[in-house]
Amino acid sequence: MGDKHGFVTNDFSYKTIVPFKYDEVNNFSDGLALVKLNDKNYFIDETGRIVFPADYDKVYSFSEGLARVKYYGEWGFIDKKGELVILSKYDYAFDFSEGLAQIVLEDKSGFIDKKGDIVIPLKYDDANDFKNGKAKVEYLGDWKYIDKYGNLIDE
């Protein structure tokens, strides 16, 4: 049996706020932390209460209110209730950044909004997250910047 993990306060009192019973823990993000216990994933709140089980093939922490999950071999997003709100239909998905998430389908990248609507078409060979209103994308072997509408812009 390996070491168990939990959380303590960061105010130098080191009071335990989440018991040291988990096999793995991730940092809190959007008020929830992804933990593993007996080979099962759960999200807990800051009191250590299990909010919901995360019964997916692969699970990541929350970003901007949604967490990406791999379900039956495809990627989608869940909300803070554990409900699949953006269906698993992508080959890969990245965390939300500035309200958009990069998704990959058939080796092409594009971006969706939090409703799951494709707002920037799947036409890029590669892409980076949005930062300061722009994202770097690769198109036909050349790297350029786009805005949140998919328009080419200067660096």
Side-chain angles (χ1 to χ4, degrees):
M1 185 182 269
D3 293 335
K4 295 298 180 181
H5 303 276
F7 291 93
V8 296
T9 60
N10 62 357
D11 62 1
F12 299 108
S13 69
Y14 301 110
K15 178 182 161 199
T16 299
I17 54 174
V18 175
F20 282 72
K21 67 179 185 179
Y22 297 103
D23 302 319
E24 293 178 24
V25 298
N26 290 283
N27 290 330
F28 280 93
S29 178
D30 288 357
L32 298 175
L34 177 62
V35 298
K36 185 174 270 194
L37 180 63
N38 300 325
D39 290 324
K40 292 187 179 186
N41 291 309
Y42 300 91
F43 279 98
I44 61 170
D45 64 18
E46 292 173 345
T47 68
R49 179 182 67 87
I50 291 176
V51 178
F52 61 88
D55 296 327
Y56 298 97
D57 304 333
K58 184 84 175 157
V59 184
Y60 283 87
S61 296
F62 278 87
S63 172
E64 298 187 10
L66 297 172
R68 59 188 162 124
V69 296
K70 188 174 186 181
Y71 190 55
Y72 290 106
E74 296 180 309
W75 290 87
F77 292 85
I78 59 171
D79 64 12
K80 288 187 175 183
K81 297 175 192 168
E83 297 175 12
L84 194 62
V85 293
I86 298 176
L87 297 179
S88 297
K89 58 184 176 181
Y90 302 108
D91 296 337
Y92 197 76
F94 293 83
D95 289 336
F96 275 89
S97 175
E98 296 188 10
L100 300 177
Q102 178 192 355
I103 44 99
V104 178
L105 189 60
E106 296 177 7
D107 292 325
K108 292 296 179 187
S109 292
F111 292 86
I112 59 171
D113 63 17
K114 291 184 182 180
K115 293 183 285 184
D117 295 331
I118 295 175
V119 294
I120 298 175
L122 290 147
K123 67 179 187 179
Y124 300 103
D125 300 318
D126 200 358
N128 294 331
D129 289 341
F130 273 89
K131 188 182 277 186
N132 299 319
K134 60 187 176 184
K136 195 172 184 180
V137 295
E138 182 183 9
Y139 185 65
L140 300 175
D142 197 15
W143 284 91
K144 306 262 184 194
Y145 284 91
I146 59 169
D147 65 16
K148 290 186 176 184
Y149 302 101
N151 300 314
L152 290 174
I153 58 172
D154 294 327
E155 286 186 49

